[in-house]
Amino acid sequence: MSNENPYGTNWSNIDLSSHESTYAIIDPYTFEGLLLEINCNLPKITKESVMRQFEDALQSRIISAREVMRDNLENIVKHANEQRNN
């Protein structure tokens, strides 16, 4: 996963005291997105192939979310402790 996006967000160092705290940890996954992936990636559309596509997309999002969490865990703990102590 790239730590930078076109808007300049450093995903390996989220500023939790800014608007960045509202960013999603895991990317949303819509039916529209799933249908697009099905049409682009599946030569044969069956229940099994659709489930496999869904599981692959879900696993990819989980892996990315874990990377973001690991990269920001120290920030999260520090920020949560500061909030609790205030």
Side-chain angles (χ1 to χ4, degrees), residues 13-22 75 79-80 82-83:
N13 189 24
I14 295 295
D15 181 356
L16 296 172
S17 61
S18 75
H19 68 279
E20 291 181 358
S21 67
T22 64
N75 289 344
H79 190 78
E82 287 171 356
Q83 282 188 323

Side-chain angles (χ1 to χ4, degrees), residues 48-67:
E48 293 79 17
S49 66
V50 168
M51 260 329 269
R52 190 169 38 254
Q53 179 65 45
F54 169 75
E55 292 293 340
D56 289 349
L58 185 60
Q59 283 303 314
S60 175
R61 282 165 173 74
I62 290 169
I63 289 167
S64 293
R66 283 187 179 132
E67 288 176 11

Side-chain angles (χ1 to χ4, degrees), residues 1 11 21-27 61 64-66 68-69 76:
M1 173 179 184
W11 285 96
S21 67
T22 64
Y23 291 176
I25 294 169
I26 192 164
D27 289 334
R61 282 165 173 74
S64 293
R66 283 187 179 132
V68 169
M69 281 298 298
I76 294 166

